[in-house]
Amino acid sequence: ETGVTQTPRHLVMGMTNKKSLKCEQHLGHNAMYWYKQSAKKPLELMFVYNFKEQTENNSVPSRFSPECPNSSHLFLHLHTLQPEDSALYLCASSQDRTSGVTYNEQFFGPGTRLTVL
Amino acid sequence: GQNIDQPTEMTATEGAIVQINCTYQTSGFNGLFWYQQHAGEAPTFLSYNVLDGLEEKGRFSSFLSRSKGYSYLLLKELQMKDSASYLCAVNYGGSQGNLIFGKGTKLSVKP
């Protein structure tokens, strides 16, 4: 148990559906991240939130829409996805280095396996 | 551009020592992380290097040379449970952990 939970663990959706992925961290961290992990490709950083403010959007298509209502919760809203969006979506959290930590390793959730038909 | 290279796959024998290399070219450098990821599971943190030299943590050690853009992860006394993917990641800047990951090295440990 890493202290980061994600729901659902598996999701199958059509290209016209709208769904949301949820992430919750119980570690008291102030930064949260969304990553995409596809087969034979490196983990790709999608979004970064620090103190609930989005600080990075790594050129992600607008069909992915993040939401961070507080520093413990992170959502990824999905709409009109494409089959190539099928991947493992990982959420992570960390403590920002300005908080005085020596290094800020990220703690990952188990991921949501998304299949777009 | 940003680039991290590591071997795609490696095989080693139980009880042996294996070294997984990682080279990087990034716009900035604020530390290098190694993560372990078992199939179907989340990546878990193994080590962090920001200064040159060797960091040892039990059976695992990690080395960094910033001038060469090079790191390695050394695993000693290999066990079957060490079969996993090992991800090299560089924090390329900012106070938060903006990481760029390599594709990972899939290590298979055989009896």
Side-chain angles (χ1 to χ4, degrees):
Chain A
E1 176 59 52
T2 64
V4 182
T5 57
Q6 290 187 243
T7 54
R9 295 293 308 275
H10 300 273
L11 178 62
V12 179
M13 59 187 289
M15 289 191 285
T16 58
N17 292 156
K18 289 185 180 180
K19 297 286 184 183
S20 295
L21 309 184
K22 179 183 176 182
C23 174
E24 184 174 0
Q25 59 97 0
H26 314 273
L27 300 168
H29 291 161
N30 52 26
M32 296 187 76
Y33 314 80
W34 279 117
Y35 287 90
K36 175 183 179 183
Q37 188 172 38
S38 305
K40 301 190 188 305
K41 294 177 74 173
L43 265 171
E44 300 171 58
L45 179 65
M46 300 175 71
F47 300 104
V48 181
Y49 276 83
N50 197 357
F51 292 102
K52 303 184 299 176
E53 299 295 321
Q54 187 181 128
T55 58
E56 182 117 359
N57 174 339
N58 212 16
S59 302
V60 180
S62 59
R63 57 185 183 270
F64 295 91
S65 174
E67 179 190 359
C68 188
N70 55 61
S71 51
S72 297
H73 293 86
L74 186 64
F75 295 89
L76 188 63
H77 304 299
L78 316 171
H79 64 97
T80 59
L81 292 191
Q82 305 298 311
E84 60 264 29
D85 296 323
S86 298
L88 181 68
Y89 288 85
L90 289 162
C91 172
S93 72
S94 72
Q95 191 66 8
D96 188 273
R97 192 172 295 167
T98 57
S99 303
V101 297
T102 304
Y103 55 87
N104 48 352
E105 79 267 30
Q106 295 181 18
F107 293 79
F108 286 84
T112 295
R113 174 69 62 186
L114 174 67
T115 303
V116 182
L117 302 176
Chain B
Q2 319 263 47
N3 191 52
I4 297 184
D5 285 316
Q6 49 181 134
T8 304
E9 293 186 47
M10 298 182 72
T11 302
T13 305
E14 193 175 14
I17 298 173
V18 71
Q19 177 175 311
I20 302 175
N21 295 324
C22 171
T23 57
Y24 63 90
Q25 299 98 38
T26 54
S27 56
F29 182 82
N30 226 357
L32 185 144
F33 294 82
W34 283 96
Y35 283 85
Q36 179 191 60
Q37 186 177 24
H38 285 100
E41 297 183 13
T44 54
F45 168 76
L46 286 178
S47 69
Y48 172 77
N49 294 73
V50 67
L51 299 176
D52 291 350
L54 189 68
E55 293 283 341
E56 298 188 76
K57 195 186 283 188
R59 293 190 298 116
F60 293 4
S61 304
S62 56
F63 172 83
L64 175 67
S65 169
R66 289 171 296 170
S67 62
K68 295 181 180 177
Y70 168 69
S71 173
Y72 68 72
L73 180 69
L74 192 71
L75 293 77
K76 303 176 187 175
E77 301 168 18
L78 281 173
Q79 302 174 11
M80 299 298 289
K81 67 178 182 180
D82 297 328
S83 293
S85 286
Y86 291 86
L87 312 179
C88 174
V90 171
N91 182 339
Y92 56 89
S95 59
Q96 56 268 27
N98 291 9
L99 298 180
I100 179 169
F101 280 82
K103 291 184 180 180
T105 299
K106 185 177 179 182
L107 174 66
S108 299
V109 180
K110 307 220 179 281

